[in-house]
Structure formats: structure tokens, C-alpha cells
Amino acid sequence: MRVLGIEGTAWAASAGLYDSEADDVFIETDAYLPESGGIDPSEAAEHMHNAIPAVVDAALAEAADRAGEDEPLVDAVAFSRGPGLGPCLRIVGTAARSLAQTLDVPLVGVNHMVAHLEIGRHRSGFDSPVCLNASGANAHVLGFHDGRYRVLGETMDTGVGNSIDKFTRHVGWSHPGGPKVEEAAKDGEYAELPYVVKGMDFSFSGIMSAAKQAYDRGQPVEDVCVGLQETVFAMLTEVAERALSLTGSDELVLGGGVGQNERLREMLAAMCEQRGADFFAPEPRFLRDNAGMIAVLGATMYEAGQTIEIEDSRIDSDYRPDQVPVTWREDESVARIPTNAADGDELRGAEATVEIDGDRVVKRRAEKRYRHPELDERLRRQRTTLEARLTSEARRHGVPTPLVREVDPREATIVFERVGDADLQAALTAERARAVGRHLATLHGAGIVHGDPTTRNVRVDTDVERVYCIDFGLGFYTDAVEDYAMDLHVFEQSLDGTAEDPAAMREAVEAGYAAAGDEAVIEQLREIESRGRYQ
Ligand SMILES: C[C@@H](O)[C@H](NC(=O)OP(=O)(O)OC[C@H]1O[C@@H](n2cnc3c(N)ncnc32)[C@H](O)[C@@H]1O)C(=O)O
Ligand SMILES: Nc1ncnc2c1ncn2[C@@H]1O[C@H](COP(=O)(O)OP(=O)(O)OP(=O)(O)O)[C@@H](O)[C@H]1O
Ligand SMILES: [Fe+2]
């Protein structure tokens, strides 16, 4: 089978050909490089208009070389339907429709972000990996659950590449900035910047403002570049590790243009090595935007019968990966139900190892080799101190938590009372989800944010029906409604990624919250969910 793919969501006017028998991918790309500033949507669209015909011709010529006599040139035409810049997507959509009609073959509408993920799965041969997409306009971790690629965590503001590109524009470097930051960082020293992770979500705007200010104050630009890479990539690596821990998966693939960065790949590889997971990053030509990945996913979707009629093929500039029904995969889930640990067991979370010792558990935040030593030391110390303090304070406000027996911030170790007989993930019911809602409302009422409420960070005592909150390491004090709503959002995302009936569970959490907390927080949650994140 041969499938022709067309990509043109932003900067890459690209056509590709996937030959499934040879498992060979041909890619022809004509890149748009803005003369000054960042990507301008109308200039980019003009580039698409001018460049798409020639790259498509190159892919067709390749198809003609490969097609036998009396064979059709290709079996299907696939194109990026979104997300991306509307004016660019429309040009590519029109080109793809007319080509499919001329060749009289079916049309396949591909989600560009799912294509970034599937090319990694295809090239690695991994079965059910977690995927980190680190691209220009996006940044998210995806896991397969219940027939869809679920967004386990994502940027709450701009995409990772665009954030870096904004910094480089500020210092007067030309687009794209990512490779320039990578080059400059080779000669710099680590500079401290804010580190912002909320469960598996994260944001870049605070870091970027701090980086610009540091530069404006006269800090050497190469040092700021080291700080940026060390901070931003450690955040991405940390959320990828959290996703592995939450889902129980031991395979990670990388996608997106920022994945070309060697330091990011080194960190992800080190993280996976330390936790005994397998890591795969496709070659650079498959990481940056390219039509090869569109053709490969197009072929998979075509085989699964997921083609579209011309009249249904309009583009969608906000197309989210979890909108795509994944009919080409067995309905298995990446989430594995954890079993309860026995005495003497050592559990590995994302951040720490937890040793079960009779009625005590010893939690140790081991050194993370992927992180810069200064950042690593700072995070482990801060989080240990905060976790001990917030765990105790939450209990004083009436939220069940384990007793804290000993704390050693220098060794990043806490000894807790052992609580519950199951993680919520293995014992989820609507009643228990409601209890989590109530607990979060009580915490917020006391000005405390949990920071990482997931189905693995709640323990259940099934004998006496008691629901405990654990793992306050990302917690903090605040009176901001936005932070309270983010807490609920993080918990609901973990339900979407792992629960059998997420909708009912979400409802239960919100009912529990509404009974004990502030309605304004639920309203803010709706606002967070409706935010367009592709900027
Ligand atoms: C929707 C679609 O249009 C969009 N595409 C996109 O963002 O292009 P992509 O090729 O995946 O990524 C481009 C970004 O990748 C960054 N980049 C390229 N090489 C880099 C490097 N060595 N280090 C860091 N960033 C790098 C660039 O600075 C730029 O921001 C997306 O996938 O989000
Ligand atoms: N006090 C406790 N009583 C019983 N079990 C516990 C306790 N603390 C932790 N555990 C078990 O250990 C697991 C990991 O603990 P914890 O979440 O604190 O570590 P972590 O490394 O921060 O994990 P992650 O970052 O992946 O959420 C929990 O999911 C739970 O099963
Ligand atoms: Fe992309």
C-alpha cells in the first residue's frame, strides 16, 4: 500500500509518501522562514500556496517510481486537518481534496498531534507507550485509554517551542529560536528560573518573563539559555515520569520539533533509564513537522476504514488529540491497576521510592540524574519540607492524611504512618470520588492547594470507608481561585486517563466539592477547560 500525505499546519509545506510493503517513508519539505519576527499567519499561508504544488509533485513522482504497471499511484491521500493556523490548513485541505478527487482515491483527515505520537509508536515498535509531544505550538503528555489518546497533562499557556522562540525574539535572534538556545547553552552556566508543575500540567509564561528580565538585567545570555533548557526540559521530563507512574506504563516516545534538542532527549533517556523504562525518540526528520508522519498515520487509518467524505473534511484549527476515535487500536488501556503493596515492598512513584515497613512507610526523594544538580537539590529539599508541613496541616483542618513520624529535609526523607488498603485507582467508586471532592474543598477553604491530586495520590481504607489524601509535595498556600480550580482539573484529568466511567466520577467529585466548597471554583474549572491552548 502507498499513501500520500500532505502537511501544512504552520511552517512546513511538506508532502510525503509511505510505502507500507517496504516500510519506507519519503519526505519533501519546503520550510517557511520569517524574515523577521515570528511566524506570520498570512505570510505562512502564502508560502503554503506557493510551495505545496511542488512538494506534492515530488511525492507523486516518487509514487510513480514505485507503482507497478496498471497499479494506481497511491491508495489514499491523507492531510493534516488540525490543529494549526487556519489560513494554512485551508490551503492544504483544498489541495488534498482535489488530489484525492483527481486520483479517485479515499481521503483521510489526520490529527497532526496524533501523527506526532503515532510516528514514534510506529518507528519504535512499542505497544502502548506514553507520549510526550514537545512541539512549537503544543506541549502535552498523552496515554491511550478507553479508545482515545487522553491528555494526561499539558501546558496551561503557550507551547514549549513558541515560548522559547519568544525569548529569542526578545534577545534579537532570528526564528526559530530553539536551535540557537541549544547552541548558546553549550557555553553557559546554570541560572535559576521559576519551576512550574501542577500535577501533570505546567506553564511557561512565568519562566519566560523571568528569563527576559534576567537578560535585561545583564545576566549573560548563554547562562539564561542554560537555565531555560534545564528548567523547561526538567519540567517536561518530570511530567512524562508522572504519566509513566500514573499509568504504570514502561515505554515513552517523544514527538515534536523541540524533540530535536539533544539535552531534552538526554534528560528523557536518563529518566527512563533510572526507572527501568524504555525510551524512543524518532529521527529528527520525523520529529519536526513533516508529511511522512501524516502519510504513515494516514495509512493506518485508511486500513482501519477511517476515511472521510469530501463534504465532511473541513479543517479544525483547535483539533484536540482526544477528539479522535482511535479505531485502529485494540481497546486496551495503558493504565494498569496497581495492586496493594505488602510489608517489605518498595514502591516507585514518579518522584520517590516508598518502602513499606510494617505500619510505617518511608518515602525518599532520590536524586534525579536527569536534573541539574542545583535544581534537583532545591526541589527535593523544598518538596520534602512542604509535604511534611501540609500533610499535618491538612489533618488539622479535618482532611484524613497519614501522621508524619519523622522528617529529614537534607536526606529528603519522610516517615509516615501507613494508611488505607488500596490506592483510589484500584478502588474507585462514585462515593469515594465524592469524598475527594469534599476533601479538596476543605483544603481550599483552609488556603491549601494539594498540587497533585490523582487517583494514585488518594488511599482508601475499604473497611471503614475512609479516604486519605497523600503526597502533598507539590502543594502550596494560596487564596487564588484559579489555583483551586487547577487542583480539581488535575484530579479530573487523572480520572479521564484511568477511570472506567470518567464522566460519572467527575460528576461525583464536583458534587462533593459543591457541597463543601465555593461555587466560584467550579465556574473557574469550566473556564480552564474551555481555554484554547494552541497559541
Ligand atoms: C500545530 C503545528 O503547526 C505545530 N508545529 C510546530 O510547532 O512545529 P514543530 O516542527 O513541531 O516545532 C517547531 C519548534 O521546534 C523548535 N525547535 C527546533 N529545533 C530545536 C532545538 N534544537 N531545540 C529546541 N527547540 C527546537 C523551534 O524553535 C520551534 O519552536 C505543533 O506541532 O505544535
Ligand atoms: N502513607 C502511606 N500509606 C500507604 N501507602 C502509601 C503511603 N504513602 C505512599 N503510599 C503508597 O506509595 C505510592 C507512592 O507514594 P507517593 O505518591 O507519595 O510517591 P510519589 O513518588 O510522590 O508518587 P507520584 O509522584 O507518582 O504520585 C502511593 O501511590 C501509595 O500506594
Ligand atoms: Fe508539529
Side-chain angles (χ1 to χ4, degrees), residues 96-110:
R97 282 177 212 111
S98 83
L99 185 62
Q101 276 173 325
T102 311
L103 299 175
D104 195 22
V105 294
L107 186 65
V108 186
V110 170

mmCIF file with all atom_site columns, all heavy atoms in Angstrom, residues 96-110:
data_model
loop_
_atom_site.group_PDB
_atom_site.id
_atom_site.type_symbol
_atom_site.label_atom_id
_atom_site.label_alt_id
_atom_site.label_comp_id
_atom_site.label_asym_id
_atom_site.label_entity_id
_atom_site.label_seq_id
_atom_site.pdbx_PDB_ins_code
_atom_site.Cartn_x
_atom_site.Cartn_y
_atom_site.Cartn_z
_atom_site.occupancy
_atom_site.B_iso_or_equiv
_atom_site.pdbx_formal_charge
_atom_site.auth_seq_id
_atom_site.auth_comp_id
_atom_site.auth_asym_id
_atom_site.auth_atom_id
_atom_site.pdbx_PDB_model_num
ATOM 1   N N   . ALA A 1 96  ? -5.510  18.723 -0.785  1.00 0.00 ? 96  ALA A N   1
ATOM 2   C CA  . ALA A 1 96  ? -5.704  17.293 -0.538  1.00 0.00 ? 96  ALA A CA  1
ATOM 3   C C   . ALA A 1 96  ? -7.012  16.806 -1.162  1.00 0.00 ? 96  ALA A C   1
ATOM 4   O O   . ALA A 1 96  ? -7.052  15.742 -1.792  1.00 0.00 ? 96  ALA A O   1
ATOM 5   C CB  . ALA A 1 96  ? -5.705  17.023 0.973   1.00 0.00 ? 96  ALA A CB  1
ATOM 6   N N   . ARG A 1 97  ? -8.063  17.603 -1.004  1.00 0.00 ? 97  ARG A N   1
ATOM 7   C CA  . ARG A 1 97  ? -9.363  17.195 -1.575  1.00 0.00 ? 97  ARG A CA  1
ATOM 8   C C   . ARG A 1 97  ? -9.276  17.069 -3.083  1.00 0.00 ? 97  ARG A C   1
ATOM 9   O O   . ARG A 1 97  ? -9.741  16.091 -3.661  1.00 0.00 ? 97  ARG A O   1
ATOM 10  C CB  . ARG A 1 97  ? -10.434 18.241 -1.225  1.00 0.00 ? 97  ARG A CB  1
ATOM 11  C CG  . ARG A 1 97  ? -10.939 18.118 0.179   1.00 0.00 ? 97  ARG A CG  1
ATOM 12  C CD  . ARG A 1 97  ? -11.942 19.225 0.495   1.00 0.00 ? 97  ARG A CD  1
ATOM 13  N NE  . ARG A 1 97  ? -11.822 19.542 1.907   1.00 0.00 ? 97  ARG A NE  1
ATOM 14  C CZ  . ARG A 1 97  ? -11.345 20.673 2.410   1.00 0.00 ? 97  ARG A CZ  1
ATOM 15  N NH1 . ARG A 1 97  ? -10.976 21.654 1.614   1.00 0.00 ? 97  ARG A NH1 1
ATOM 16  N NH2 . ARG A 1 97  ? -11.238 20.831 3.708   1.00 0.00 ? 97  ARG A NH2 1
ATOM 17  N N   . SER A 1 98  ? -8.633  18.050 -3.712  1.00 0.00 ? 98  SER A N   1
ATOM 18  C CA  . SER A 1 98  ? -8.635  17.998 -5.176  1.00 0.00 ? 98  SER A CA  1
ATOM 19  C C   . SER A 1 98  ? -7.728  16.866 -5.671  1.00 0.00 ? 98  SER A C   1
ATOM 20  O O   . SER A 1 98  ? -8.044  16.203 -6.650  1.00 0.00 ? 98  SER A O   1
ATOM 21  C CB  . SER A 1 98  ? -8.301  19.361 -5.774  1.00 0.00 ? 98  SER A CB  1
ATOM 22  O OG  . SER A 1 98  ? -6.923  19.539 -5.812  1.00 0.00 ? 98  SER A OG  1
ATOM 23  N N   . LEU A 1 99  ? -6.648  16.608 -4.936  1.00 0.00 ? 99  LEU A N   1
ATOM 24  C CA  . LEU A 1 99  ? -5.781  15.489 -5.344  1.00 0.00 ? 99  LEU A CA  1
ATOM 25  C C   . LEU A 1 99  ? -6.519  14.149 -5.199  1.00 0.00 ? 99  LEU A C   1
ATOM 26  O O   . LEU A 1 99  ? -6.453  13.291 -6.080  1.00 0.00 ? 99  LEU A O   1
ATOM 27  C CB  . LEU A 1 99  ? -4.497  15.484 -4.501  1.00 0.00 ? 99  LEU A CB  1
ATOM 28  C CG  . LEU A 1 99  ? -3.456  14.455 -4.893  1.00 0.00 ? 99  LEU A CG  1
ATOM 29  C CD1 . LEU A 1 99  ? -2.955  14.680 -6.322  1.00 0.00 ? 99  LEU A CD1 1
ATOM 30  C CD2 . LEU A 1 99  ? -2.265  14.477 -3.921  1.00 0.00 ? 99  LEU A CD2 1
ATOM 31  N N   . ALA A 1 100 ? -7.241  13.978 -4.083  1.00 0.00 ? 100 ALA A N   1
ATOM 32  C CA  . ALA A 1 100 ? -7.982  12.728 -3.880  1.00 0.00 ? 100 ALA A CA  1
ATOM 33  C C   . ALA A 1 100 ? -9.017  12.541 -4.984  1.00 0.00 ? 100 ALA A C   1
ATOM 34  O O   . ALA A 1 100 ? -9.208  11.424 -5.483  1.00 0.00 ? 100 ALA A O   1
ATOM 35  C CB  . ALA A 1 100 ? -8.652  12.723 -2.504  1.00 0.00 ? 100 ALA A CB  1
ATOM 36  N N   . GLN A 1 101 ? -9.646  13.653 -5.372  1.00 0.00 ? 101 GLN A N   1
ATOM 37  C CA  . GLN A 1 101 ? -10.660 13.545 -6.433  1.00 0.00 ? 101 GLN A CA  1
ATOM 38  C C   . GLN A 1 101 ? -10.029 13.220 -7.777  1.00 0.00 ? 101 GLN A C   1
ATOM 39  O O   . GLN A 1 101 ? -10.506 12.355 -8.501  1.00 0.00 ? 101 GLN A O   1
ATOM 40  C CB  . GLN A 1 101 ? -11.460 14.853 -6.527  1.00 0.00 ? 101 GLN A CB  1
ATOM 41  C CG  . GLN A 1 101 ? -12.582 14.865 -5.503  1.00 0.00 ? 101 GLN A CG  1
ATOM 42  C CD  . GLN A 1 101 ? -13.302 16.201 -5.421  1.00 0.00 ? 101 GLN A CD  1
ATOM 43  O OE1 . GLN A 1 101 ? -12.683 17.257 -5.578  1.00 0.00 ? 101 GLN A OE1 1
ATOM 44  N NE2 . GLN A 1 101 ? -14.606 16.164 -5.173  1.00 0.00 ? 101 GLN A NE2 1
ATOM 45  N N   . THR A 1 102 ? -8.922  13.892 -8.079  1.00 0.00 ? 102 THR A N   1
ATOM 46  C CA  . THR A 1 102 ? -8.249  13.631 -9.351  1.00 0.00 ? 102 THR A CA  1
ATOM 47  C C   . THR A 1 102 ? -7.783  12.181 -9.441  1.00 0.00 ? 102 THR A C   1
ATOM 48  O O   . THR A 1 102 ? -7.930  11.527 -10.469 1.00 0.00 ? 102 THR A O   1
ATOM 49  C CB  . THR A 1 102 ? -7.006  14.556 -9.495  1.00 0.00 ? 102 THR A CB  1
ATOM 50  O OG1 . THR A 1 102 ? -7.410  15.870 -9.189  1.00 0.00 ? 102 THR A OG1 1
ATOM 51  C CG2 . THR A 1 102 ? -6.411  14.500 -10.879 1.00 0.00 ? 102 THR A CG2 1
ATOM 52  N N   . LEU A 1 103 ? -7.187  11.687 -8.343  1.00 0.00 ? 103 LEU A N   1
ATOM 53  C CA  . LEU A 1 103 ? -6.663  10.315 -8.359  1.00 0.00 ? 103 LEU A CA  1
ATOM 54  C C   . LEU A 1 103 ? -7.766  9.287  -8.110  1.00 0.00 ? 103 LEU A C   1
ATOM 55  O O   . LEU A 1 103 ? -7.531  8.091  -8.212  1.00 0.00 ? 103 LEU A O   1
ATOM 56  C CB  . LEU A 1 103 ? -5.575  10.145 -7.301  1.00 0.00 ? 103 LEU A CB  1
ATOM 57  C CG  . LEU A 1 103 ? -4.318  11.022 -7.434  1.00 0.00 ? 103 LEU A CG  1
ATOM 58  C CD1 . LEU A 1 103 ? -3.393  10.819 -6.242  1.00 0.00 ? 103 LEU A CD1 1
ATOM 59  C CD2 . LEU A 1 103 ? -3.576  10.694 -8.733  1.00 0.00 ? 103 LEU A CD2 1
ATOM 60  N N   . ASP A 1 104 ? -8.937  9.790  -7.700  1.00 0.00 ? 104 ASP A N   1
ATOM 61  C CA  . ASP A 1 104 ? -10.076 8.930  -7.399  1.00 0.00 ? 104 ASP A CA  1
ATOM 62  C C   . ASP A 1 104 ? -9.750  7.908  -6.301  1.00 0.00 ? 104 ASP A C   1
ATOM 63  O O   . ASP A 1 104 ? -9.946  6.707  -6.459  1.00 0.00 ? 104 ASP A O   1
ATOM 64  C CB  . ASP A 1 104 ? -10.546 8.226  -8.689  1.00 0.00 ? 104 ASP A CB  1
ATOM 65  C CG  . ASP A 1 104 ? -11.923 7.617  -8.486  1.00 0.00 ? 104 ASP A CG  1
ATOM 66  O OD1 . ASP A 1 104 ? -12.641 8.075  -7.569  1.00 0.00 ? 104 ASP A OD1 1
ATOM 67  O OD2 . ASP A 1 104 ? -12.270 6.674  -9.222  1.00 0.00 ? 104 ASP A OD2 1
ATOM 68  N N   . VAL A 1 105 ? -9.193  8.430  -5.209  1.00 0.00 ? 105 VAL A N   1
ATOM 69  C CA  . VAL A 1 105 ? -8.874  7.574  -4.046  1.00 0.00 ? 105 VAL A CA  1
ATOM 70  C C   . VAL A 1 105 ? -9.476  8.205  -2.794  1.00 0.00 ? 105 VAL A C   1
ATOM 71  O O   . VAL A 1 105 ? -9.780  9.404  -2.783  1.00 0.00 ? 105 VAL A O   1
ATOM 72  C CB  . VAL A 1 105 ? -7.337  7.396  -3.848  1.00 0.00 ? 105 VAL A CB  1
ATOM 73  C CG1 . VAL A 1 105 ? -6.729  6.616  -4.999  1.00 0.00 ? 105 VAL A CG1 1
ATOM 74  C CG2 . VAL A 1 105 ? -6.649  8.744  -3.644  1.00 0.00 ? 105 VAL A CG2 1
ATOM 75  N N   . PRO A 1 106 ? -9.639  7.420  -1.717  1.00 0.00 ? 106 PRO A N   1
ATOM 76  C CA  . PRO A 1 106 ? -10.221 7.973  -0.488  1.00 0.00 ? 106 PRO A CA  1
ATOM 77  C C   . PRO A 1 106 ? -9.325  9.025  0.171   1.00 0.00 ? 106 PRO A C   1
ATOM 78  O O   . PRO A 1 106 ? -8.108  9.050  -0.030  1.00 0.00 ? 106 PRO A O   1
ATOM 79  C CB  . PRO A 1 106 ? -10.357 6.761  0.433   1.00 0.00 ? 106 PRO A CB  1
ATOM 80  C CG  . PRO A 1 106 ? -10.181 5.572  -0.420  1.00 0.00 ? 106 PRO A CG  1
ATOM 81  C CD  . PRO A 1 106 ? -9.384  5.981  -1.614  1.00 0.00 ? 106 PRO A CD  1
ATOM 82  N N   . LEU A 1 107 ? -9.975  9.864  0.984   1.00 0.00 ? 107 LEU A N   1
ATOM 83  C CA  . LEU A 1 107 ? -9.305  10.943 1.703   1.00 0.00 ? 107 LEU A CA  1
ATOM 84  C C   . LEU A 1 107 ? -9.271  10.576 3.188   1.00 0.00 ? 107 LEU A C   1
ATOM 85  O O   . LEU A 1 107 ? -10.245 10.054 3.730   1.00 0.00 ? 107 LEU A O   1
ATOM 86  C CB  . LEU A 1 107 ? -10.123 12.220 1.487   1.00 0.00 ? 107 LEU A CB  1
ATOM 87  C CG  . LEU A 1 107 ? -9.576  13.534 2.021   1.00 0.00 ? 107 LEU A CG  1
ATOM 88  C CD1 . LEU A 1 107 ? -8.282  13.920 1.305   1.00 0.00 ? 107 LEU A CD1 1
ATOM 89  C CD2 . LEU A 1 107 ? -10.627 14.655 1.822   1.00 0.00 ? 107 LEU A CD2 1
ATOM 90  N N   . VAL A 1 108 ? -8.118  10.867 3.839   1.00 0.00 ? 108 VAL A N   1
ATOM 91  C CA  . VAL A 1 108 ? -8.006  10.610 5.280   1.00 0.00 ? 108 VAL A CA  1
ATOM 92  C C   . VAL A 1 108 ? -7.634  11.918 5.970   1.00 0.00 ? 108 VAL A C   1
ATOM 93  O O   . VAL A 1 108 ? -6.668  12.571 5.587   1.00 0.00 ? 108 VAL A O   1
ATOM 94  C CB  . VAL A 1 108 ? -6.910  9.553  5.585   1.00 0.00 ? 108 VAL A CB  1
ATOM 95  C CG1 . VAL A 1 108 ? -6.920  9.191  7.071   1.00 0.00 ? 108 VAL A CG1 1
ATOM 96  C CG2 . VAL A 1 108 ? -7.096  8.303  4.732   1.00 0.00 ? 108 VAL A CG2 1
ATOM 97  N N   . GLY A 1 109 ? -8.410  12.323 6.978   1.00 0.00 ? 109 GLY A N   1
ATOM 98  C CA  . GLY A 1 109 ? -8.140  13.564 7.725   1.00 0.00 ? 109 GLY A CA  1
ATOM 99  C C   . GLY A 1 109 ? -7.406  13.223 9.010   1.00 0.00 ? 109 GLY A C   1
ATOM 100 O O   . GLY A 1 109 ? -7.935  12.537 9.870   1.00 0.00 ? 109 GLY A O   1
ATOM 101 N N   . VAL A 1 110 ? -6.162  13.704 9.132   1.00 0.00 ? 110 VAL A N   1
ATOM 102 C CA  . VAL A 1 110 ? -5.291  13.281 10.236  1.00 0.00 ? 110 VAL A CA  1
ATOM 103 C C   . VAL A 1 110 ? -5.157  14.395 11.275  1.00 0.00 ? 110 VAL A C   1
ATOM 104 O O   . VAL A 1 110 ? -5.019  15.565 10.916  1.00 0.00 ? 110 VAL A O   1
ATOM 105 C CB  . VAL A 1 110 ? -3.894  12.914 9.675   1.00 0.00 ? 110 VAL A CB  1
ATOM 106 C CG1 . VAL A 1 110 ? -2.881  12.711 10.780  1.00 0.00 ? 110 VAL A CG1 1
ATOM 107 C CG2 . VAL A 1 110 ? -3.992  11.655 8.810   1.00 0.00 ? 110 VAL A CG2 1
#
